[in-house]
Amino acid sequence: MRPDQPLIDWAWIAEHLDDIGLRLVQHLGISALAVAIGLAIAMALALWARRSPGLRGPVTGVTGVLYTIPSLAMFAALVPFTGLTLLTAEIPLVVYTLLILFRNIMAGFDGVPAEVNEAADGMGYRSSERLRQIELPLAVPLIIAGVRLASVSTIGLVMIVSLLGRNFGGLGVLITEGIQTFFATKVYVGAALSVALAVAADLALVALERRATPWAQGVAIDIAQGPIRTPEWIP
Amino acid sequence: MDTLTATVAWLLDPSHWAGGDGIPTRIAEHLAISTASLLAAAAVALPVGAFIGHTGRGGTLAVNVANLGRAIPSYAVLVIVLPPALQLAPVLGYDPSFGLSEIPTFTAMFLLAIPPILVNTYAGLRGVDRDLVESARGMGLREGQILARLEVPLSIGVIVGGIRTAAVQVVATATLGAVVAYGGLGRYIIDGIARHENDRLFAGVVLVAGLALITEGGLALVQRLATPRGLRLAARPGFGPAST
């Protein structure tokens, strides 16, 4: 940014490893918390919609409209109400995960063959047993595919929080401060680590999916390979 | 409720509808950068997606690269591009302010728009029944004709769906341009935060969210109209081929 300054100042990085590490851990923590809460809510909604199929359309519609609201707008809109707290960061992050997770969990339930469910009923499984022992395990690949998409998008969104204040912005704080002080090294460190974190999270979840579904080796369904759709909420 | 009243009052104030910081100017700036980056991304992603979708070659690689691209946060792209764009200004002879705002915003939105368009074009073409393609080839259609008359019309809904997803993401994310001194509707949000003016902030929030929803709705309509009538009828119960 300044002509007299090297693009990467390695000495600064060496001196500030503690601060950088702290931001990295904070970024990961805020993202993981949001995805975990989002997964819990989306799972509850999916189980509800599984019992009452009429709910599926409205839930997809509402989460779809929320998903369309620009992130900076949603974060900023909460500041006057919840201040610069963790809550202001987490509410939009959780909201943005809901559409992706709900849609994938439902797709996972849809993917269980009807014959399998009928066989389970015939063998005397109660509804809750069938859910726990048959449907959820079979839905795991699609659920994890949803968690992958949600994690990657959440890690990107945490960066935006740093524009509101430096408390909960994770690696985005390094970028925002780097821009404000015209210090390129800080910008590059924040950007590079956030990309690395997103890719690492994605790869870790792929590994988790392999371990969680040993029976599906080689036939893993990956929703990311299919077309990307926006919600069909327009009548 | 005070915030709501203040926001409506701000939006209705005639002085906010004129001049360089007026709402029409900001909407025009927002749409200009969004349209430019979307068109550029489509110019790259549509031919590449059509090629790999038609030939089936390099599909997995392209889809994986596109998915990796989705992992890269736009804010990171924006700020990574900024320093070199600024330093290249004297070398290439453009205005430094162009390197500070337009180039980073355009690059980030361009990269954001590519994955949905590329993946959907590829997946759409791959979804066309291979038997139909073989029949067309047997009837003597050239590869270009198969693409133009068969594969694209049959998958146009999925392809436009990719453009729609990309457009909504770009319109929503172009808000970030205001961070690097570009205009657009993000200006009101960033300035509202900086000046502690909640009415300005919320006016920006309402305008950006509204523009994103209009984009979504408008392109959903385009998607519907672009789908050939036969396919729309086939999707209706009672019209399609009997399912087993």
Side-chain angles (χ1 to χ4, degrees):
Chain A
M1 299 207 194
R2 280 193 301 243
D4 55 322
Q5 184 186 73
L7 271 184
I8 304 277
D9 180 350
W10 296 103
W12 181 88
I13 297 179
E15 278 166 34
H16 293 82
L17 278 180
D18 283 0
D19 187 37
I20 296 169
L22 201 69
R23 289 298 177 191
L24 184 67
V25 171
Q26 185 191 41
H27 201 114
L28 186 63
I30 292 175
S31 310
L33 183 63
V35 175
I37 298 174
L39 185 61
I41 298 176
M43 183 60 81
L45 287 170
L47 291 179
W48 193 18
R50 176 176 158 271
R51 284 181 170 269
S52 329
L55 278 169
R56 186 175 183 160
V59 172
T60 313
V62 171
T63 53
V65 172
L66 290 173
Y67 190 75
T68 313
I69 298 174
S71 53
L72 182 57
M74 209 194 292
F75 287 122
L78 282 173
V79 172
F81 303 105
T82 49
L84 292 174
T85 61
L86 184 61
L87 204 59
T88 308
E90 291 291 347
I91 292 174
L93 293 175
V94 169
V95 164
Y96 287 123
T97 65
L98 292 181
L99 174 72
I100 303 171
L101 292 171
F102 177 77
R103 214 164 37 180
N104 272 47
I105 297 171
M106 293 307 288
F109 286 148
D110 290 345
V112 180
E115 305 92 85
V116 172
N117 278 332
E118 282 166 26
D121 291 341
M123 288 166 72
Y125 277 82
R126 272 178 285 130
S127 178
S128 60
E129 287 174 333
R130 193 183 88 184
L131 176 70
R132 224 167 343 114
Q133 297 177 18
I134 313 266
E135 291 182 75
L136 276 177
L138 287 176
V140 159
L142 276 170
I143 296 176
I144 293 189
V147 174
R148 279 171 63 192
L149 286 176
S151 304
V152 164
S153 94
T154 304
I155 289 170
L157 289 171
V158 173
M159 317 272 287
I160 314 291
V161 182
S162 67
L163 292 173
L164 304 175
R166 59 196 306 280
N167 294 5
F168 299 103
L171 294 164
V173 175
L174 296 177
I175 294 182
T176 304
E177 288 179 353
I179 292 183
Q180 283 163 356
T181 57
F182 285 96
F183 184 45
T185 305
K186 225 170 169 178
V187 171
Y188 281 128
V189 168
L193 283 179
S194 68
V195 173
L197 187 62
V199 174
D202 198 43
L203 294 177
L205 286 164
V206 173
L208 176 73
E209 181 187 340
R210 292 246 167 87
R211 286 192 69 127
T213 56
W215 62 85
Q217 289 307 319
V219 288
I221 313 156
D222 189 349
I223 198 164
Q225 305 276 340
I228 302 164
R229 290 180 204 280
T230 45
E232 301 285 339
W233 60 273
I234 301 288
Chain B
M1 275 304 106
D2 282 351
T3 318
L4 184 64
T5 324
T7 305
V8 173
W10 195 96
L11 282 170
L12 294 178
D13 186 341
S15 71
H16 295 139
W17 285 85
D21 193 34
I23 293 169
T25 314
R26 293 303 182 203
I27 290 182
E29 287 169 343
H30 203 98
L31 288 177
I33 201 88
S34 304
T35 312
S37 49
L38 196 67
L39 287 179
V44 173
L46 285 177
V48 174
F51 177 78
I52 58 177
H54 177 72
T55 60
R57 268 178 292 176
T60 316
L61 178 71
V63 170
N64 282 334
V65 169
N67 279 331
L68 195 68
R70 293 161 91 189
I72 300 174
S74 296
Y75 189 37
V77 177
L78 204 66
V79 296
I80 288 172
V81 173
L82 201 152
L86 215 50
Q87 287 191 333
L88 283 175
V91 184
L92 297 178
Y94 54 77
D95 192 345
S97 79
F98 191 73
L100 179 68
S101 50
E102 272 89 352
I103 294 179
T105 313
F106 174 85
T107 312
M109 296 307 103
F110 170 73
L111 291 180
L112 179 70
I114 284 184
I117 302 178
L118 180 65
V119 172
N120 274 42
T121 306
Y122 167 75
L125 290 194
R126 282 282 98 188
V128 173
D129 192 343
R130 288 295 106 188
D131 291 346
L132 290 177
V133 176
E134 285 306 310
S135 322
R137 207 167 272 144
M139 286 165 68
L141 265 71
R142 279 176 278 114
E143 296 303 308
Q145 290 176 317
I146 295 176
L147 188 68
R149 296 192 197 166
L150 187 78
E151 291 179 314
V152 169
L154 282 177
S155 56
I156 191 75
V158 181
I159 296 174
V160 178
I163 296 174
R164 171 181 159 196
T165 306
V168 175
Q169 286 179 352
V170 164
V171 167
T173 317
T175 321
L176 288 182
V179 178
V180 290
Y182 185 72
L185 291 169
R187 198 71 266 152
Y188 297 134
I189 299 177
I190 296 288
D191 291 347
I193 296 170
R195 300 186 205 167
H196 299 285
E197 292 176 10
N198 281 344
D199 49 356
R200 178 181 294 267
L201 191 165
F202 273 92
V205 169
V206 169
L207 289 168
V208 174
L211 198 61
L213 287 172
I214 290 171
T215 308
E216 163 84 0
L219 285 171
L221 196 66
V222 171
Q223 189 177 5
R224 182 161 300 198
L225 292 177
T227 308
R229 190 162 169 273
L231 286 183
R232 273 181 280 159
L233 284 177
R236 266 192 231 166
F239 278 95
S243 56
T244 46

